[in-house]
Amino acid sequence: MTKAYPNLFKLLWYSNLPCFKVSNITENYLLKKCSWAGKTVNCSTIFQTVPTDSGMCCAFNAESGLKASAYSDLVEEMRNKSSQDNEEKIIENAKVGEKKGLQILVDQHSDHTSYGTVFSNFNGFKVFIGEPAEFPVPRERSIKIQPGLEHFIELSGYTVKTDTKVRGELPEKRNCYFKDESNLDFY
C-alpha cells in the first residue's frame, strides 16, 4: 500500500473538477473569476487546492497545518503541479461593503460533468468557513449554495489573544493546545 498510495492520491487529486485550468488534464475548472478587496485578481493567487473530508476543495486564505511527512510532501507536490502561475500569493485586508470582500464566479460544468459522491447527491456547492489552519470538514459543517444563482454570505471576525502566562498552565487546565503542543499525525 505504501508504494501504491502516492499514485492513488494523485488520481484522487483530479477526481473532482480542479480549481484552476490544468494543461493536459482538463479544460474544465471551477474558479472562473475572482475579485478581492474590490480588485479582479488571478484566482490562483488567492486560492489553493486542499484535501478535505470530502475530496479536494478550493480554499481561500488557508494555511497548511500539516506536519512534515510524506503526505504533506505529496500535497505540496500536487499543488505545485496544479498551479498555473508563479505570482506571489498576497492577501491584503478586505474593505467594508458588498463589493469589497471576496467575489468568485464558479462553474460546475454540469453540462460536461456529473456530480455526486458516496456521501451526498447534493448538486451544488458547499462553503466551509473556518480557521486558516483548520482541516476542512464540509461534510460536517458547511453552507450549501445552489448553482445558477447569486449568493451573499456576510462574515465578521474577531481576534482572541492569550496572555503568554497561560502557556505555563497544563493543557488539561486551560482546555486547549498551542500549535506546537499537539501530537497528532498530520496537524
Side-chain angles (χ1 to χ4, degrees), residues 51 63-76 79 133-135 177-187:
E63 295 174 7
S64 179
L66 295 174
K67 291 182 177 182
S69 65
Y71 178 74
S72 66
D73 292 344
L74 191 55
V75 169
E76 193 58 35
R79 278 190 188 139
E134 183 179 358
F135 183 80
Y177 288 99
F178 287 91
K179 286 183 179 181
D180 62 341
E181 293 179 317
S182 70
N183 292 321
L184 301 174
D185 290 335
F186 298 112
Y187 294 92

Side-chain angles (χ1 to χ4, degrees), residues 3-75:
K3 290 181 181 181
Y5 181 76
N7 291 326
L8 177 61
F9 184 82
K10 290 174 184 177
L11 177 67
L12 291 174
W13 188 270
Y14 296 115
S15 64
N16 292 342
L17 279 174
C19 299
F20 322 107
K21 183 177 179 179
V22 181
S23 300
N24 300 324
I25 301 288
T26 182
E27 294 294 316
N28 299 329
Y29 54 99
L30 286 171
L31 299 174
K32 297 297 185 184
K33 183 178 178 185
C34 297
S35 297
W36 174 245
K39 301 176 192 166
T40 299
V41 296
N42 184 332
C43 295
S44 64
T45 63
I46 60 173
F47 280 90
Q48 61 182 311
T49 304
V50 297
T52 73
D53 68 339
S54 303
M56 300 306 159
C57 201
C58 306
F60 171 77
N61 201 26
E63 295 174 7
S64 179
L66 295 174
K67 291 182 177 182
S69 65
Y71 178 74
S72 66
D73 292 344
L74 191 55
V75 169

Side-chain angles (χ1 to χ4, degrees), residues 36 60 102 127-130 143 152-158:
W36 174 245
F60 171 77
L102 175 66
V127 177
F128 175 83
I129 300 169
I143 299 168
F152 296 91
I153 302 172
E154 183 177 340
L155 300 176
S156 60
Y158 60 92

Side-chain angles (χ1 to χ4, degrees), residues 62-126:
E63 295 174 7
S64 179
L66 295 174
K67 291 182 177 182
S69 65
Y71 178 74
S72 66
D73 292 344
L74 191 55
V75 169
E76 193 58 35
E77 175 189 337
M78 294 307 295
R79 278 190 188 139
N80 291 337
K81 282 184 179 179
S82 298
S83 180
Q84 292 297 308
D85 69 63
N86 295 319
E87 293 181 46
E88 186 178 341
K89 297 186 183 309
I90 298 174
I91 307 267
E92 63 182 61
N93 290 333
K95 315 237 183 320
V96 176
E98 191 174 283
K99 303 291 184 186
K100 299 291 185 178
L102 175 66
Q103 293 181 301
I104 57 174
L105 175 63
V106 290
D107 186 351
Q108 194 174 32
H109 293 279
S110 58
D111 56 333
H112 296 283
T113 307
S114 63
Y115 182 81
T117 70
V118 292
F119 305 116
S120 164
N121 63 359
F122 173 69
N123 189 17
F125 300 98
K126 290 183 180 180

Side-chain angles (χ1 to χ4, degrees), residues 120-174:
S120 164
N121 63 359
F122 173 69
N123 189 17
F125 300 98
K126 290 183 180 180
V127 177
F128 175 83
I129 300 169
E131 296 291 324
E134 183 179 358
F135 183 80
V137 285
R139 272 196 297 159
E140 292 183 18
R141 193 179 86 222
S142 63
I143 299 168
K144 294 178 180 170
I145 58 174
Q146 294 178 311
L149 299 174
E150 186 173 24
H151 298 272
F152 296 91
I153 302 172
E154 183 177 340
L155 300 176
S156 60
Y158 60 92
T159 302
V160 176
K161 294 186 179 187
T162 304
D163 191 305
T164 55
K165 295 175 188 172
V166 173
R167 187 178 274 278
E169 298 290 334
L170 291 173
E172 294 79 19
K173 185 174 181 184
R174 66 178 186 246

